Amino acid sequence: MSTRTEPAWIRRALIGIALSFLALFILLPLTVVFMNALNKGIAIYLKSLSDPAALAAIRLTLLTALIAVPFNLIFGVAASWAIAKFDFRLKNLLITLIDLPLSVSPVISGLIFVLLFGAQGALGPWLRAHGIKVIFALPAIILTTIFVTFPMVARELIPVMKAFGNEEEEAAMTLGANGFQTFWRVTLPNIKWGLLYGVILCNARAMGEFGAVSVVSGHIRGQTNTLPLHIEILYNEYNFTAAFAAASLLAMLALVTLILKSIIEFKYRAELAAAGKFVIKMENHV
Amino acid sequence: MFKHKSTLPGFRISLGYTIFYLGLIVLIPLSMLFIKTSSMGLKEIWMVVSHPRTLAAYRLSFTASFIAGLVNVVFGFLIAWVLSRYSFPGKKLIDAMVDFPFALPTAVTGIALTSLYSQNGWVGQYLYQFGIQSAYNPLGITIALIFIGLPFVVRTVEPVLQELDPELEDAAASLGADRWQIFIKIFFPNLIPALITGFTLAFARAIGEYGSVIFIAGNIPGKTEIAPLLIMTKLEQFDYTGATAIAVVMLLISFALLALTNFLQWVSSKRIGMG
Amino acid sequence: MKVRYVLIGILIGMAMINLTGKAWPKDKEVTLLNVSYDPTRELYVDYNKVFTQYWKEKTGETVVINQSHAGSGKQARSVIEGLDADVVTLALAYDIDAIAEKSGLLPIQWQERLPDNSSPYTSIIVFLVRQGNPKNIKDWDDLARSGISVVTPNPKTSGGARWNYLAAWGYALRKWNNDELKAKDFVRAVFKNVPVLDSGARASTTTFVERGIGDVLISWENEAYLAVKDLGPERFEIVVPSVSILAEPPVAVVDRVADQHGTRKLAEEYLNFLYTPQGQEIVAKHYYRPRLKSVAQKYAAQFPPIKLFTVDEVFGGWQKAQKTHFADQGIFDQISPL
């Protein structure tokens, strides 16, 4: 055990520094949100969340994330497989292009879809003639969300997959597993944390995105307002309690993360205990 | 043309899909920026992007993002290390808390941070006593950018730390390496790619950030005006091309910086591969 | 393996949302979309209730009025790009001009179609100061004094802020007999006192009220009243300057959209009803100055008389004002530090 950790005083100091930083930059803002949400009592808190406009916003946000995240999940797995497992030319260019949406200002992320689908845009007149509504409706909200959260899963997976190298998969293949089995049985268990973090981050960003969605949403109350947009409206109505109540809902996503992680950790341990010996043998072989 | 030595299947299909999806979701929409900007003459574009006010905004955006990225690399790494290697009460809750900046809409972030760091805020009131103005100036902007970027670093480093083979450590220790040597020789090289990725993501995100910064920045032209705000002011005048011109320059600079960090990462991972 | 459960969970969740989530009920009622700007939200919530009832009694039709609120310029851009607004009710004529000009959805002469410059309600620019007026701020001159901290939104991003700026400019012209250079110096001095330029009017109000920044907030009268009412009657006072600008937020039917929806009659009636005593009453309750004499008299205590000038009189209309003052390299840019 002693070889695997630092002296106690170093440990304590590091924990202390890390926690102080987190307290200053994360815990305090979090406290502000929850204090403001609950400062008029739990009854008002619940009431502000069950307002029809709030419910419509929550529904729209969930729907958006549920469509956007799987798209980026599939892309993330494909991209990281290609990038981490193979060598090819212009790989760095590809990675850079994948990162690009992150650095695009939210205003611009929205604007490009307006330029593409808006009434004055490239495809706008054609869409209009065919009665297809994209901009200021659900399709544009989803597209923008996909754009904004585009690199999340891929970026999480690439370093993890790289860290593992190809040996395990190649061993499985020589043992006669097909590609799909190899991925499912060997790669997936290895990258599970990266995958989970990727999905969680992607989902959190998808649900929390404000700037870009604000440009393409049209702000129609009860129809195209996502939860972040609804929060802004409430705040601008000086309805601070309701605004922070809705914000606290998004903050609680972090709690969902915690629960998901614990469940997976628990299941993983149980499985390890059951099939443990085999896995360890495999690892020793490789 | 492609030189993949790997015997694993699925190269063509995964790369093909990656490029297809990238084109559809990112490249085609982004090309609209260039098309729109190109309706302006080169001279006009230059006039917009070389205006002292625009230059000041670029400088501010990139400097603040860079500093925030560095702070996040240091503390994000520390947090990831502590979370994945030590145990202490409340660890899981704290681990979950790290994602909080992502889930929070940027406008709420801005409001919450401003209320903390302005002169009458919980933290601000003490800082201001020491003459540190923590809101409505570049420091406030940096604080907001640190907040939004932190999870990127923690979450890219954490999985790598968790998956690192403990046997390596044991082996090194049994060969007589002390903790510091183990850290420098074993952990650090393995973590470099993840650290660079984390920095890149945090930095990239910070450059474009608008919603949270706008509340704490002060937005005084030439002093605390960030580049994305300039884009907004152009749009407000229905000057789409002016807005896209500023955006294109930001995009090109970000692209160059991202390409550079990706290249560095590639170099560093090559070196590990050799060693 | 475990990841499989997560994936399956996501798929099930998706299916459930699709089955249960009826976010867009296909109703048979008539719907009308009013695209407006930020501060009118409360006003139109009330007004829509009354109008819906009036329309039901008159025609037997149930009308659902949807509201969209954001910054005025942003809303104008959205309508240009295809947001299906039957009517627009924005902060300044310039924004509706832009819609007419860039999209052709309504005629260029839209402003002549309704009485009073198509502005059924008005407001003025006033000052909000802290209780007891500790810095003794009485008039525009005081804003240029050194040591005074002034909060106003950014004229480049906020329609409301443009009214603030023009009000200060108009005051200076009047004081120095139309000497533009003096006016420029005066406005420069005022903006030198501004520590924070928020992007919108409400953000500025929050900076002033919640963050405690500034000695005075330049604001629309209706916004100042609302802030005092909602955020603390004991904490703030409204100061009315000697002279101010008459802010005229205009309304218009978006012809092509309304015709396409078959809602033109409804849309026209919706706007006309704003001019009726009933409509004007609601307007006054939300601290906008009514146009109708009878209603104005009733609320005289709330709206003190003041010398006013209009954008048309002093600046020759919004198009010109925008170009001279707020466009790139305009006067506002010239007085900025860079």
PDB file of all heavy atoms in Angstrom, chain C residues 290-313:
ATOM      1  N   PRO C 290     -49.887  56.506 -21.427  1.00  0.00           N
ATOM      2  CA  PRO C 290     -50.932  56.296 -22.429  1.00  0.00           C
ATOM      3  C   PRO C 290     -51.047  57.497 -23.358  1.00  0.00           C
ATOM      4  O   PRO C 290     -50.677  58.607 -23.004  1.00  0.00           O
ATOM      5  CB  PRO C 290     -52.197  56.135 -21.582  1.00  0.00           C
ATOM      6  CG  PRO C 290     -51.904  56.807 -20.297  1.00  0.00           C
ATOM      7  CD  PRO C 290     -50.418  56.769 -20.089  1.00  0.00           C
ATOM      8  N   ARG C 291     -51.566  57.262 -24.566  1.00  0.00           N
ATOM      9  CA  ARG C 291     -51.791  58.362 -25.509  1.00  0.00           C
ATOM     10  C   ARG C 291     -53.133  59.027 -25.262  1.00  0.00           C
ATOM     11  O   ARG C 291     -53.287  60.220 -25.495  1.00  0.00           O
ATOM     12  CB  ARG C 291     -51.788  57.818 -26.943  1.00  0.00           C
ATOM     13  CG  ARG C 291     -50.438  57.312 -27.407  1.00  0.00           C
ATOM     14  CD  ARG C 291     -49.528  58.439 -27.799  1.00  0.00           C
ATOM     15  NE  ARG C 291     -48.390  57.943 -28.581  1.00  0.00           N
ATOM     16  CZ  ARG C 291     -47.430  58.728 -29.057  1.00  0.00           C
ATOM     17  NH1 ARG C 291     -47.459  60.027 -28.846  1.00  0.00           N
ATOM     18  NH2 ARG C 291     -46.432  58.215 -29.755  1.00  0.00           N
ATOM     19  N   LEU C 292     -54.102  58.254 -24.803  1.00  0.00           N
ATOM     20  CA  LEU C 292     -55.470  58.755 -24.673  1.00  0.00           C
ATOM     21  C   LEU C 292     -55.547  59.738 -23.500  1.00  0.00           C
ATOM     22  O   LEU C 292     -55.154  59.415 -22.387  1.00  0.00           O
ATOM     23  CB  LEU C 292     -56.409  57.559 -24.444  1.00  0.00           C
ATOM     24  CG  LEU C 292     -57.839  57.694 -24.925  1.00  0.00           C
ATOM     25  CD1 LEU C 292     -57.894  57.858 -26.440  1.00  0.00           C
ATOM     26  CD2 LEU C 292     -58.642  56.461 -24.501  1.00  0.00           C
ATOM     27  N   LYS C 293     -56.091  60.951 -23.784  1.00  0.00           N
ATOM     28  CA  LYS C 293     -56.138  62.010 -22.767  1.00  0.00           C
ATOM     29  C   LYS C 293     -56.840  61.550 -21.494  1.00  0.00           C
ATOM     30  O   LYS C 293     -56.363  61.774 -20.386  1.00  0.00           O
ATOM     31  CB  LYS C 293     -56.861  63.236 -23.339  1.00  0.00           C
ATOM     32  CG  LYS C 293     -56.027  64.015 -24.327  1.00  0.00           C
ATOM     33  CD  LYS C 293     -55.403  65.244 -23.650  1.00  0.00           C
ATOM     34  CE  LYS C 293     -54.157  65.725 -24.376  1.00  0.00           C
ATOM     35  NZ  LYS C 293     -54.275  65.812 -25.846  1.00  0.00           N
ATOM     36  N   SER C 294     -58.004  60.914 -21.671  1.00  0.00           N
ATOM     37  CA  SER C 294     -58.812  60.562 -20.499  1.00  0.00           C
ATOM     38  C   SER C 294     -58.043  59.620 -19.573  1.00  0.00           C
ATOM     39  O   SER C 294     -58.041  59.804 -18.351  1.00  0.00           O
ATOM     40  CB  SER C 294     -60.128  59.915 -20.938  1.00  0.00           C
ATOM     41  OG  SER C 294     -59.854  58.767 -21.712  1.00  0.00           O
ATOM     42  N   VAL C 295     -57.362  58.651 -20.151  1.00  0.00           N
ATOM     43  CA  VAL C 295     -56.600  57.711 -19.320  1.00  0.00           C
ATOM     44  C   VAL C 295     -55.377  58.412 -18.729  1.00  0.00           C
ATOM     45  O   VAL C 295     -55.030  58.224 -17.559  1.00  0.00           O
ATOM     46  CB  VAL C 295     -56.179  56.475 -20.149  1.00  0.00           C
ATOM     47  CG1 VAL C 295     -55.403  55.488 -19.287  1.00  0.00           C
ATOM     48  CG2 VAL C 295     -57.407  55.800 -20.740  1.00  0.00           C
ATOM     49  N   ALA C 296     -54.751  59.251 -19.534  1.00  0.00           N
ATOM     50  CA  ALA C 296     -53.573  59.976 -19.054  1.00  0.00           C
ATOM     51  C   ALA C 296     -53.918  60.824 -17.837  1.00  0.00           C
ATOM     52  O   ALA C 296     -53.147  60.901 -16.874  1.00  0.00           O
ATOM     53  CB  ALA C 296     -53.010  60.857 -20.165  1.00  0.00           C
ATOM     54  N   GLN C 297     -55.102  61.468 -17.884  1.00  0.00           N
ATOM     55  CA  GLN C 297     -55.504  62.299 -16.755  1.00  0.00           C
ATOM     56  C   GLN C 297     -55.665  61.472 -15.487  1.00  0.00           C
ATOM     57  O   GLN C 297     -55.263  61.867 -14.404  1.00  0.00           O
ATOM     58  CB  GLN C 297     -56.813  63.016 -17.073  1.00  0.00           C
ATOM     59  CG  GLN C 297     -56.570  64.414 -17.582  1.00  0.00           C
ATOM     60  CD  GLN C 297     -57.737  64.963 -18.381  1.00  0.00           C
ATOM     61  OE1 GLN C 297     -58.844  64.449 -18.289  1.00  0.00           O
ATOM     62  NE2 GLN C 297     -57.484  65.988 -19.161  1.00  0.00           N
ATOM     63  N   LYS C 298     -56.233  60.288 -15.671  1.00  0.00           N
ATOM     64  CA  LYS C 298     -56.468  59.436 -14.516  1.00  0.00           C
ATOM     65  C   LYS C 298     -55.154  59.065 -13.825  1.00  0.00           C
ATOM     66  O   LYS C 298     -55.082  58.941 -12.612  1.00  0.00           O
ATOM     67  CB  LYS C 298     -57.188  58.168 -14.998  1.00  0.00           C
ATOM     68  CG  LYS C 298     -57.791  57.357 -13.877  1.00  0.00           C
ATOM     69  CD  LYS C 298     -58.564  56.178 -14.419  1.00  0.00           C
ATOM     70  CE  LYS C 298     -58.574  55.060 -13.407  1.00  0.00           C
ATOM     71  NZ  LYS C 298     -59.068  53.814 -13.995  1.00  0.00           N
ATOM     72  N   TYR C 299     -54.126  58.905 -14.632  1.00  0.00           N
ATOM     73  CA  TYR C 299     -52.838  58.471 -14.077  1.00  0.00           C
ATOM     74  C   TYR C 299     -51.839  59.640 -13.974  1.00  0.00           C
ATOM     75  O   TYR C 299     -50.637  59.429 -13.907  1.00  0.00           O
ATOM     76  CB  TYR C 299     -52.233  57.361 -14.945  1.00  0.00           C
ATOM     77  CG  TYR C 299     -52.937  56.038 -14.766  1.00  0.00           C
ATOM     78  CD1 TYR C 299     -54.043  55.696 -15.545  1.00  0.00           C
ATOM     79  CD2 TYR C 299     -52.504  55.124 -13.798  1.00  0.00           C
ATOM     80  CE1 TYR C 299     -54.707  54.497 -15.366  1.00  0.00           C
ATOM     81  CE2 TYR C 299     -53.161  53.928 -13.621  1.00  0.00           C
ATOM     82  CZ  TYR C 299     -54.258  53.612 -14.409  1.00  0.00           C
ATOM     83  OH  TYR C 299     -54.899  52.407 -14.231  1.00  0.00           O
ATOM     84  N   ALA C 300     -52.381  60.851 -13.947  1.00  0.00           N
ATOM     85  CA  ALA C 300     -51.507  62.037 -13.985  1.00  0.00           C
ATOM     86  C   ALA C 300     -50.475  62.019 -12.865  1.00  0.00           C
ATOM     87  O   ALA C 300     -49.330  62.446 -13.051  1.00  0.00           O
ATOM     88  CB  ALA C 300     -52.346  63.305 -13.918  1.00  0.00           C
ATOM     89  N   ALA C 301     -50.847  61.521 -11.685  1.00  0.00           N
ATOM     90  CA  ALA C 301     -49.924  61.533 -10.545  1.00  0.00           C
ATOM     91  C   ALA C 301     -48.707  60.660 -10.833  1.00  0.00           C
ATOM     92  O   ALA C 301     -47.601  60.944 -10.385  1.00  0.00           O
ATOM     93  CB  ALA C 301     -50.644  61.049  -9.303  1.00  0.00           C
ATOM     94  N   GLN C 302     -48.939  59.617 -11.603  1.00  0.00           N
ATOM     95  CA  GLN C 302     -47.871  58.669 -11.886  1.00  0.00           C
ATOM     96  C   GLN C 302     -46.893  59.210 -12.933  1.00  0.00           C
ATOM     97  O   GLN C 302     -45.721  58.865 -12.936  1.00  0.00           O
ATOM     98  CB  GLN C 302     -48.537  57.391 -12.397  1.00  0.00           C
ATOM     99  CG  GLN C 302     -47.625  56.196 -12.506  1.00  0.00           C
ATOM    100  CD  GLN C 302     -48.435  54.966 -12.903  1.00  0.00           C
ATOM    101  OE1 GLN C 302     -49.492  54.680 -12.338  1.00  0.00           O
ATOM    102  NE2 GLN C 302     -47.972  54.250 -13.885  1.00  0.00           N
ATOM    103  N   PHE C 303     -47.436  60.036 -13.818  1.00  0.00           N
ATOM    104  CA  PHE C 303     -46.607  60.527 -14.929  1.00  0.00           C
ATOM    105  C   PHE C 303     -46.492  62.039 -14.882  1.00  0.00           C
ATOM    106  O   PHE C 303     -47.261  62.742 -15.521  1.00  0.00           O
ATOM    107  CB  PHE C 303     -47.218  60.106 -16.266  1.00  0.00           C
ATOM    108  CG  PHE C 303     -47.390  58.614 -16.403  1.00  0.00           C
ATOM    109  CD1 PHE C 303     -48.653  58.067 -16.593  1.00  0.00           C
ATOM    110  CD2 PHE C 303     -46.294  57.768 -16.340  1.00  0.00           C
ATOM    111  CE1 PHE C 303     -48.814  56.700 -16.731  1.00  0.00           C
ATOM    112  CE2 PHE C 303     -46.453  56.400 -16.479  1.00  0.00           C
ATOM    113  CZ  PHE C 303     -47.716  55.862 -16.666  1.00  0.00           C
ATOM    114  N   PRO C 304     -45.514  62.566 -14.135  1.00  0.00           N
ATOM    115  CA  PRO C 304     -45.385  64.022 -14.029  1.00  0.00           C
ATOM    116  C   PRO C 304     -45.142  64.650 -15.399  1.00  0.00           C
ATOM    117  O   PRO C 304     -44.467  64.052 -16.237  1.00  0.00           O
ATOM    118  CB  PRO C 304     -44.157  64.186 -13.131  1.00  0.00           C
ATOM    119  CG  PRO C 304     -43.438  62.880 -13.175  1.00  0.00           C
ATOM    120  CD  PRO C 304     -44.476  61.844 -13.419  1.00  0.00           C
ATOM    121  N   PRO C 305     -45.699  65.840 -15.624  1.00  0.00           N
ATOM    122  CA  PRO C 305     -45.473  66.517 -16.909  1.00  0.00           C
ATOM    123  C   PRO C 305     -44.002  66.903 -17.033  1.00  0.00           C
ATOM    124  O   PRO C 305     -43.344  67.212 -16.046  1.00  0.00           O
ATOM    125  CB  PRO C 305     -46.358  67.759 -16.824  1.00  0.00           C
ATOM    126  CG  PRO C 305     -46.564  67.984 -15.362  1.00  0.00           C
ATOM    127  CD  PRO C 305     -46.506  66.649 -14.691  1.00  0.00           C
ATOM    128  N   ILE C 306     -43.513  66.865 -18.261  1.00  0.00           N
ATOM    129  CA  ILE C 306     -42.094  67.151 -18.476  1.00  0.00           C
ATOM    130  C   ILE C 306     -41.926  67.627 -19.903  1.00  0.00           C
ATOM    131  O   ILE C 306     -42.687  67.252 -20.795  1.00  0.00           O
ATOM    132  CB  ILE C 306     -41.239  65.879 -18.204  1.00  0.00           C
ATOM    133  CG1 ILE C 306     -39.791  66.095 -18.616  1.00  0.00           C
ATOM    134  CG2 ILE C 306     -41.813  64.673 -18.928  1.00  0.00           C
ATOM    135  CD1 ILE C 306     -38.892  64.921 -18.334  1.00  0.00           C
ATOM    136  N   LYS C 307     -40.932  68.479 -20.123  1.00  0.00           N
ATOM    137  CA  LYS C 307     -40.644  68.928 -21.485  1.00  0.00           C
ATOM    138  C   LYS C 307     -40.020  67.767 -22.258  1.00  0.00           C
ATOM    139  O   LYS C 307     -39.053  67.164 -21.798  1.00  0.00           O
ATOM    140  CB  LYS C 307     -39.665  70.106 -21.456  1.00  0.00           C
ATOM    141  CG  LYS C 307     -40.360  71.456 -21.484  1.00  0.00           C
ATOM    142  CD  LYS C 307     -39.361  72.575 -21.653  1.00  0.00           C
ATOM    143  CE  LYS C 307     -38.767  72.919 -20.295  1.00  0.00           C
ATOM    144  NZ  LYS C 307     -37.651  73.865 -20.342  1.00  0.00           N
ATOM    145  N   LEU C 308     -40.584  67.485 -23.420  1.00  0.00           N
ATOM    146  CA  LEU C 308     -40.104  66.325 -24.178  1.00  0.00           C
ATOM    147  C   LEU C 308     -39.748  66.711 -25.600  1.00  0.00           C
ATOM    148  O   LEU C 308     -40.329  67.633 -26.166  1.00  0.00           O
ATOM    149  CB  LEU C 308     -41.181  65.245 -24.219  1.00  0.00           C
ATOM    150  CG  LEU C 308     -41.538  64.585 -22.887  1.00  0.00           C
ATOM    151  CD1 LEU C 308     -42.819  63.783 -23.013  1.00  0.00           C
ATOM    152  CD2 LEU C 308     -40.404  63.695 -22.407  1.00  0.00           C
ATOM    153  N   PHE C 309     -38.779  66.032 -26.162  1.00  0.00           N
ATOM    154  CA  PHE C 309     -38.515  66.150 -27.595  1.00  0.00           C
ATOM    155  C   PHE C 309     -38.564  64.760 -28.202  1.00  0.00           C
ATOM    156  O   PHE C 309     -38.425  63.753 -27.497  1.00  0.00           O
ATOM    157  CB  PHE C 309     -37.159  66.832 -27.863  1.00  0.00           C
ATOM    158  CG  PHE C 309     -36.000  66.190 -27.165  1.00  0.00           C
ATOM    159  CD1 PHE C 309     -35.317  65.139 -27.751  1.00  0.00           C
ATOM    160  CD2 PHE C 309     -35.586  66.642 -25.912  1.00  0.00           C
ATOM    161  CE1 PHE C 309     -34.242  64.538 -27.113  1.00  0.00           C
ATOM    162  CE2 PHE C 309     -34.500  66.040 -25.260  1.00  0.00           C
ATOM    163  CZ  PHE C 309     -33.836  64.987 -25.861  1.00  0.00           C
ATOM    164  N   THR C 310     -38.753  64.687 -29.517  1.00  0.00           N
ATOM    165  CA  THR C 310     -38.826  63.372 -30.168  1.00  0.00           C
ATOM    166  C   THR C 310     -37.587  63.147 -31.031  1.00  0.00           C
ATOM    167  O   THR C 310     -36.839  64.090 -31.327  1.00  0.00           O
ATOM    168  CB  THR C 310     -40.069  63.250 -31.074  1.00  0.00           C
ATOM    169  OG1 THR C 310     -39.898  64.142 -32.175  1.00  0.00           O
ATOM    170  CG2 THR C 310     -41.341  63.587 -30.323  1.00  0.00           C
ATOM    171  N   VAL C 311     -37.417  61.912 -31.429  1.00  0.00           N
ATOM    172  CA  VAL C 311     -36.278  61.570 -32.291  1.00  0.00           C
ATOM    173  C   VAL C 311     -36.408  62.298 -33.627  1.00  0.00           C
ATOM    174  O   VAL C 311     -35.427  62.787 -34.183  1.00  0.00           O
ATOM    175  CB  VAL C 311     -36.218  60.048 -32.523  1.00  0.00           C
ATOM    176  CG1 VAL C 311     -35.124  59.691 -33.505  1.00  0.00           C
ATOM    177  CG2 VAL C 311     -35.989  59.336 -31.212  1.00  0.00           C
ATOM    178  N   ASP C 312     -37.641  62.376 -34.122  1.00  0.00           N
ATOM    179  CA  ASP C 312     -37.854  63.040 -35.407  1.00  0.00           C
ATOM    180  C   ASP C 312     -37.452  64.509 -35.344  1.00  0.00           C
ATOM    181  O   ASP C 312     -36.799  65.030 -36.243  1.00  0.00           O
ATOM    182  CB  ASP C 312     -39.323  62.908 -35.835  1.00  0.00           C
ATOM    183  CG  ASP C 312     -39.660  61.470 -36.193  1.00  0.00           C
ATOM    184  OD1 ASP C 312     -38.696  60.694 -36.413  1.00  0.00           O
ATOM    185  OD2 ASP C 312     -40.847  61.118 -36.232  1.00  0.00           O
ATOM    186  N   GLU C 313     -37.861  65.186 -34.255  1.00  0.00           N
ATOM    187  CA  GLU C 313     -37.566  66.617 -34.138  1.00  0.00           C
ATOM    188  C   GLU C 313     -36.066  66.895 -34.072  1.00  0.00           C
ATOM    189  O   GLU C 313     -35.553  67.760 -34.777  1.00  0.00           O
ATOM    190  CB  GLU C 313     -38.196  67.184 -32.855  1.00  0.00           C
ATOM    191  CG  GLU C 313     -39.702  67.334 -32.901  1.00  0.00           C
ATOM    192  CD  GLU C 313     -40.266  67.492 -31.489  1.00  0.00           C
ATOM    193  OE1 GLU C 313     -39.496  67.821 -30.548  1.00  0.00           O
ATOM    194  OE2 GLU C 313     -41.470  67.263 -31.327  1.00  0.00           O
TER     195      GLU C 313
END
